[in-house]
Structures are given as C-alpha cells and as structure tokens.
C-alpha cells in the first residue's frame, strides 16, 4: 500500500491518503478524530460495504446464489470481513485472489469452477485500473458482477454500490490544499464517505438474461442504458 510505504520512509513530510481499509488498524493514524502523525485523508471503509453489496446482488438475481469474491490477498481487512459475513449469514462464500493482471483470468476460472452465481469485485487500485479487463472477463464467463464504483458499470459492468470516488478524491485535494496553507495533518480528522450510490447497467442485465426487479430500479441512483 502506497500510504504505508510512504509512512515508513518519512514521519515528517505530510501524507494525504485515500485508502480502502481502516487507517487506525493499519497503523497510519492513532484515531479518526485525531490522526496524530503526519498522515491523514479519506478512508473508504470498503470492508463495511461487503454485506450490503451481497444483499443487493442477491436481490438483483432474485435468488440466494452462491457468491464469489475477487480480492487482492494483500487486503487483509477485507478477507477478515468476508469471513465474518460468511459466519453471520451462514452462507458459503467463495474467494478468488489476484494481485495483478496475470492472475485475473485464473481467478475467474476458479470462480466458474466453483459454480458461483455472481461475483463481488473488491475495491482495489489494481482492479480499478484493470476495470475494462474485469468487465470483459465477467462478460466472457457470463458472471453477474458487482463493483464498488460507478466507473465499472459505466464501462459495461452490471452494477455498483458505494461512495463516489471522484467526490472523495476532491476531499483529499482539499486536505492537501489546507496542508499547503499551513494546516497540520495531525489536526485534520480522517473522513469517511456519508453518501452511497446504487448504479445499474440495464443493457448488461439484458445481455445476461437478468430482469431487474422494479423495487431495485426504484432505489437506483442511476440506470445506465
């Protein structure tokens, strides 16, 4: 993780991060309200969205299909959250892991072999940069897939639920400007998203033979045709 690597190099140069995990658990900050060191920024708290995204994909499919998760194995917070969700729901959740582009195709083959009915793609910078390839793999294997950011359904993915990446990057930019103006990172509370959007791609749903339930359409913040 870039923020952790930067923190290991310097304890004095200000660091503004946008990360998926809990910065306190990672050792980047003492607390959300009072970061304490030279780092502050935005925590997307991706792990907390796992259960909600699981519920939404099952509502879309109108069945309790076995769901697979595509994760970067370096994201230990998310792997722990998946285990907790599996225990709390009593569901079998299949996990496929990929750290880079070369591992994506084998991961999808693993999910297909496990006969999952859908896949949740976790929030990861590598996955975001490879979103076109991920969307293409899901299409090739006829796997309904859920993502965290609207940029995925905008690229042809089935659905997303999560915060606005653009809005949170703008918040990080504001923090950077404040620090350049003299503010100290230790005095700037770590922010978390407060708004989450459901985005559906109706064309992709049709290609997969999925009829989007009216109740889900009514709650969607955006439907991409």
């Amino acid at each position: 993780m870039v923020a952790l690597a930067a923190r290991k190099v310097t304890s004095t140069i200000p660091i503004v991060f946008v990360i998926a995990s809990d910065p306190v658990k990672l050792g980047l900050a003492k607390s959300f309200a009072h970061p304490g060191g030279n780092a502050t920024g935005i925590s997307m708290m991706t792990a907390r969205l796992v259960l909600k995204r699981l519920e939404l994909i099952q509502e879309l499919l109108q069945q309790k299909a076995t769901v697979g998760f595509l994760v970067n194995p370096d994201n230990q917070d998310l792997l722990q959250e998946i285990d907790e969700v599996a225990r709390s729901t009593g569901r079998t959740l299949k996990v496929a892991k990929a750290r880079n582009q070369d591992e994506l195709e084998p991961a999808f083959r693993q999910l297909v072999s496990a006969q999952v009915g859908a896949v949740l793609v976790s929030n990861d910078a590598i996955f975001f940069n490879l979103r076109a390839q991920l969307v293409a793999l899901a299409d090739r294997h006829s796997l309904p897939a859920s993502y965290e950011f609207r940029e995925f359904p905008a690229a042809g993915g089935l659905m997303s639920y999560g915060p606005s990446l653009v809005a949170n990057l703008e918040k990080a930019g504001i923090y950077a400007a404040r620090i350049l103006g003299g503010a100290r990172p230790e005095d700037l509370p770590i922010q978390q998203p407060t708004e989450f959007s459901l985005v559906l791609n109706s064309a992709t749903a049709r290609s997969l033979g999925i009829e989007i339930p009216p109740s889900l359409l009514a709650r969607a913040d955006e439907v991409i045709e």
Side-chain angles (χ1 to χ4, degrees):
M1 182 179 292
V2 175
L4 279 175
R7 184 65 180 274
K8 289 178 181 178
V9 173
T10 178
S11 60
T12 56
I13 298 174
I15 298 168
V16 178
F17 55 73
V18 178
I19 59 174
S21 304
D22 185 330
V24 177
K25 288 183 179 179
L26 290 174
L28 281 170
K30 293 180 180 178
S31 70
F32 278 78
H34 304 285
N38 63 318
T40 188
I42 315 298
S43 171
M44 306 294 267
M45 300 303 288
T46 292
R48 295 184 180 178
L49 296 178
V50 171
L51 184 56
K52 181 63 176 179
R53 291 177 60 205
L54 178 62
E55 292 171 349
L56 287 169
I57 193 71
Q58 290 174 339
E59 183 177 350
L60 176 65
L61 299 177
Q62 302 185 62
Q63 57 179 305
K64 289 192 175 181
T66 299
V67 175
F69 287 86
L70 178 66
V71 302
N72 184 332
D74 294 333
N75 192 336
Q76 293 298 317
D77 279 1
L78 183 57
L79 288 170
Q80 180 180 350
E81 182 72 11
I82 291 171
D83 286 339
E84 292 175 359
V85 169
R87 287 194 297 270
S88 66
T89 61
R91 301 291 305 281
T92 300
L93 306 176
K94 305 292 184 180
V95 176
K97 302 175 182 178
R99 284 190 174 92
N100 52 52
Q101 182 174 351
D102 293 339
E103 295 178 355
L104 289 181
E105 176 64 46
F108 267 83
R109 288 201 300 266
Q110 178 185 342
L111 292 170
V112 172
S113 296
Q115 298 183 324
V116 301
V119 57
L120 267 64
V121 177
S122 67
N123 172 9
D124 190 274
I126 292 173
F127 296 163
F128 186 84
N129 291 335
L130 297 173
R131 59 189 178 278
Q133 182 177 345
L134 279 166
V135 168
L137 281 168
D139 178 65
R140 186 188 313 160
H141 293 289
S142 299
L143 267 180
S146 167
Y147 311 89
E148 185 159 333
F149 300 121
R150 79 166 298 279
E151 284 79 2
F152 285 88
L158 177 60
M159 69 183 297
S160 68
Y161 179 79
S164 166
L165 181 60
V166 172
N168 284 282
L169 288 174
E170 288 176 350
K171 291 178 182 178
I174 291 171
Y175 262 13
R178 290 181 63 182
I179 290 171
L180 288 173
R184 299 185 302 175
E186 62 189 86
D187 297 328
L188 299 175
I190 295 169
Q191 299 187 54
Q192 299 177 72
T194 57
E195 297 182 357
F196 304 89
S197 298
L198 171 63
V199 181
L200 303 168
N201 188 311
S202 60
T204 301
R206 288 193 298 272
S207 71
L208 291 167
I210 297 172
E211 182 177 350
I212 303 176
S215 59
L216 202 57
L217 278 173
R219 302 204 309 276
D221 297 279
E222 182 181 359
V223 178
I224 297 173
E225 297 292 341

